Amino acid sequence: MFSTYDAPVYPYVQSAEQVTGQPTRHKVVVIGAGPVGLTAALDLAARGVPVVVLDDNNTVSVGSRAVCYAKRPLEIWDRLGVADRMIAKGVEWKLGKVFFGDRQVYQFDLLPEGGHKCPAFINLQQYYLEDYMVEATAKNPLIDIRWKHKLISLRQEADHAVLTVETPDGVFVTAADWVIACDGANSDTRRMVGADFTGQFFQDRFLIADIVMKADFPTERWFWFDPPFHRNQSALLHKQSDNVWRLDFQLGWDADPEVEKREENIIPRVKAMLPGVEFELEWASVYQFACRRIDQFRHNRVIFAGDAAHQVSPFGARGANTGVQDIDNLSWKLAAVLAGDADEALIDSYHEERAFAADDNILNSTRSTDFITPKNAASKRFRNAVLDLAEKASFARPLVNSGRLSTPTPYVASSLNTPDAGIWHGKMVPGTVCSDAPVMVNGQPDWFLHQIGQGFTLLDFGTQAGPVAVGGITAKVLRVGEHLEDSERLLAKRYDAQPGTVYLIRPDQHVAARWRSFNPVEVKAALARALAKG
């Protein structure tokens, strides 16, 4: 279909329960084999949980779709062993430029400091991302992806869900202790459980066009307000792999999506934007975007993640990126409950933390949308005045909003946090995702985030901390100076470490608590609280 990529076709295979007619009760069934569903399968399997994935298709996504992947999801995929390939194939970037008319008024750097393994962003077509993750799942005996399996109905019991699935060979019934719905914005699973979305649709449309061209433009994100080639609207340009470039054109609410998608109407727009450049149109789509979320992320035995749980505008790359962070939050909690090490209250904290993050993303996305597409003349005058000022006045630049790029939302109000005591500096407050730093392990250069991630960790900047357990969960000690060396002193700096400082870090690499000295009673209480037991 594409000149740059041949999509794989995955085989449909009958399961044993289809053949025997005897339903199997699985630990977890994931609906949807997109980036979020595949991340769920890889993360749960890494924690020893067998997973069945149902997908009604038999290939990867059509078109580049999600393009920009941020540092935090890359760190999550790095923990799962699939990020290196993505980063190697993707186009790394961190610099964005904003234009008003035909002049540059502002630029920003998304990762001004060094000492992080993963880049600020990569641009990579979604089909590559899915392709790499499917290959990784095929190597894991705990993951069973079932292609051409469509969920057509779902019934919930007290402690499990019963699923009716349609295949090329007919219909069969299966069951699961837990169902994770990752079936996108038009989720059938959401409809089956009667879950509601609240929020708003925006009265505007945008054209996405992927073109293949060889150009010497830098690998940066370029965003135009009111450019000469597309007056009174906005436009976006950035590079993907294989010399594929993503173009976005604001169309206005009155545009006819079917007309705008026609090649004869797209080509003149691209030529006006890129005069004299030879190109080939690869893929196009027209979209209307929404900012809304589900009422509850958990509906009994069904848990929603990604676009099935929340939708935002594409400006800011918050869709797939936040969906992957949903899974990062959910998987360790679900694994602990399935192992009998935590109560279902821990799963309820998934809604508490990720709905908080969704609301933050919706707020940022709505603000971006309002700035890009002003709703009245006064808003447009304000927007244009900000852009004019930003060219010369630094105070105006933070007001420029061409899409606040995705960053992790700290769970600062989470009930799983233990509040700080004493005076602390820096960003590593409880609820915040851990910052990476270069370290030495056994005399070899490595990264701090590689040392944490599957269980609870006590990061000890002293010599006093020992393992602490609550039930079957043990927080193991990672001691600076013994288990790793802070080779560039960035770890101590980023964690405001003094001699004796101790951090309790969750399995999803978020800070749960921190102290200036080790007290096993306090640490045990904080561990219990992080497991929703306190």
Side-chain angles (χ1 to χ4, degrees):
M1 181 177 181
F2 299 123
S3 63
T4 59
Y5 178 77
D6 292 322
V9 176
Y10 303 118
Y12 158 73
V13 178
Q14 272 195 333
S15 64
E17 56 194 309
Q18 282 177 270
V19 175
T20 64
Q22 297 297 316
T24 300
R25 182 159 159 177
H26 305 283
K27 293 288 186 183
V28 179
V29 169
V30 174
I31 310 299
V36 178
L38 292 169
T39 302
L42 289 168
D43 203 350
L44 285 165
R47 301 181 190 283
V49 179
V51 187
V52 172
V53 182
L54 306 180
D55 194 278
D56 59 3
N57 208 335
N58 65 343
T59 188
V60 295
S61 63
V62 176
S64 63
R65 298 169 68 91
V67 167
C68 298
Y69 300 100
K71 178 174 176 289
R72 182 56 197 155
L74 291 171
E75 290 171 345
I76 295 165
W77 288 322
D78 189 44
R79 173 170 59 79
L80 299 175
V82 292
D84 285 347
R85 193 176 179 191
M86 297 172 184
I87 294 169
K89 181 65 177 178
V91 175
E92 293 186 28
W93 68 277
K94 65 173 186 170
L95 194 67
K97 293 180 178 177
V98 177
F99 302 87
F100 184 31
D102 58 0
R103 68 189 195 276
Q104 180 181 324
V105 297
Y106 175 60
Q107 72 177 39
F108 54 86
D109 189 333
L110 294 168
L111 191 61
E113 64 177 14
H116 297 264
K117 178 185 177 182
C118 292
F121 269 87
I122 64 167
N123 286 353
L124 181 67
Q125 296 91 310
Q126 184 173 320
Y127 44 73
Y128 280 122
L129 193 88
E130 294 179 10
D131 193 341
Y132 298 163
M133 286 200 282
V134 170
E135 287 188 20
T137 63
K139 299 173 183 177
N140 195 312
L142 293 179
I143 301 174
D144 178 7
I145 299 186
R146 301 182 180 181
W147 304 104
K148 288 291 186 179
H149 280 61
K150 179 179 176 61
L151 178 68
I152 58 174
S153 70
L154 184 148
R155 183 181 80 252
Q156 299 213 56
E157 303 293 346
D159 62 350
H160 69 285
V162 179
L163 300 86
T164 303
V165 181
E166 183 179 59
T167 75
D169 290 323
V171 174
F172 75 100
V173 174
T174 189
D177 291 348
W178 296 95
V179 175
I180 306 178
C182 306
D183 50 343
N186 299 315
S187 169
D188 288 331
T189 315
R190 194 175 60 239
R191 174 182 51 79
M192 291 173 193
V193 302
D196 294 324
F197 257 166
T198 55
Q200 66 178 119
F201 275 101
F202 288 89
Q203 303 299 299
D204 210 334
R205 291 191 172 98
F206 284 77
L207 167 71
I208 292 176
D210 279 0
I211 64 170
V212 182
M213 68 172 180
K214 292 183 178 180
D216 57 0
F217 303 134
T219 53
E220 301 168 347
R221 179 185 189 264
W222 289 0
F223 193 100
W224 287 267
F225 292 95
D226 193 17
F229 57 81
H230 194 49
R231 281 298 181 196
N232 298 312
Q233 304 284 18
S234 63
L236 177 67
L237 170 73
H238 48 172
K239 186 180 181 180
Q240 307 172 65
S241 297
D242 304 329
N243 292 313
V244 176
W245 293 74
R246 162 64 60 83
L247 283 61
D248 284 54
F249 297 95
Q250 183 184 358
L251 298 176
W253 180 238
D254 295 332
D256 185 324
E258 294 307 314
V259 171
E260 295 294 345
K261 280 193 295 187
R262 294 173 185 166
E263 185 171 347
E264 64 267 25
N265 294 323
I266 296 173
I267 297 298
R269 293 192 187 280
V270 178
K271 287 183 174 180
M273 183 186 205
L274 304 167
V277 175
E278 293 186 5
F279 65 90
E280 175 188 344
L281 180 64
E282 182 165 87
W283 176 74
S285 180
V286 173
Y287 62 89
Q288 176 194 5
F289 48 81
C291 288
R292 54 186 189 162
R293 74 163 172 87
I294 203 168
D295 54 351
Q296 288 289 323
F297 282 36
R298 175 190 172 190
H299 281 251
N300 194 13
R301 313 306 289 185
V302 181
I303 305 168
F304 292 87
D307 285 352
H310 44 73
Q311 290 176 261
V312 291
S313 78
F315 298 111
R318 296 172 181 276
N321 285 309
T322 54
V324 171
Q325 291 170 76
D326 289 345
I327 297 303
D328 187 44
N329 185 286
L330 174 63
S331 291
W332 72 271
K333 298 174 178 179
L334 193 55
V337 170
L338 285 167
D341 293 325
D343 300 326
E344 289 183 17
L346 184 59
I347 293 178
D348 291 331
S349 75
Y350 167 69
H351 170 82
E352 175 194 354
E353 293 183 333
R354 292 311 297 168
F356 177 78
D359 290 341
D360 178 57
N361 282 303
I362 287 170
L363 175 63
N364 279 283
S365 187
T366 300
R367 287 172 174 171
S368 297
T369 303
D370 288 342
F371 193 85
I372 293 166
T373 61
K375 301 304 180 287
N376 54 55
S379 295
K380 188 171 184 178
R381 283 195 299 271
F382 169 77
R383 196 271 313 269
N384 292 350
V386 167
L387 291 168
D388 280 329
L389 281 168
E391 189 171 9
K392 298 179 180 178
S394 59
F395 77 86
R397 289 167 191 159
L399 300 175
V400 175
N401 194 338
S402 64
R404 298 271 189 254
L405 274 298
S406 177
T407 56
T409 300
Y411 312 136
V412 291
S414 172
S415 62
L416 304 188
N417 297 341
T418 295
D420 277 339
I423 298 173
W424 294 84
H425 302 285
K427 300 177 181 178
M428 293 294 101
V429 301
T432 303
V433 65
C434 288
S435 181
D436 206 0
V439 297
M440 298 290 289
V441 179
N442 297 323
Q444 298 297 316
D446 208 330
W447 296 96
F448 171 62
L449 291 185
H450 286 177
Q451 316 311 313
I452 59 175
Q454 294 299 71
F456 280 90
T457 301
L458 281 172
L459 174 62
D460 180 19
F461 289 91
T463 58
Q464 301 299 313
V468 173
V470 172
I473 299 289
T474 299
K476 298 180 180 179
V477 176
L478 180 66
R479 186 169 290 117
V480 178
E482 179 182 345
H483 303 115
L484 60 83
E485 298 293 334
D486 188 7
S487 50
E488 298 182 23
R489 296 294 297 164
L490 283 177
L491 192 66
K493 180 180 178 182
R494 289 173 181 170
Y495 288 78
D496 187 29
Q498 300 171 8
T501 295
V502 177
Y503 277 75
L504 176 63
I505 298 172
R506 302 180 352 176
D508 58 0
Q509 300 180 335
H510 282 70
V511 175
R514 56 184 179 173
W515 304 267
R516 286 303 184 191
S517 61
F518 177 69
N519 181 317
V521 175
E522 291 179 351
V523 174
K524 185 170 184 176
L527 178 57
R529 183 166 181 162
L531 290 165
K533 293 176 180 288

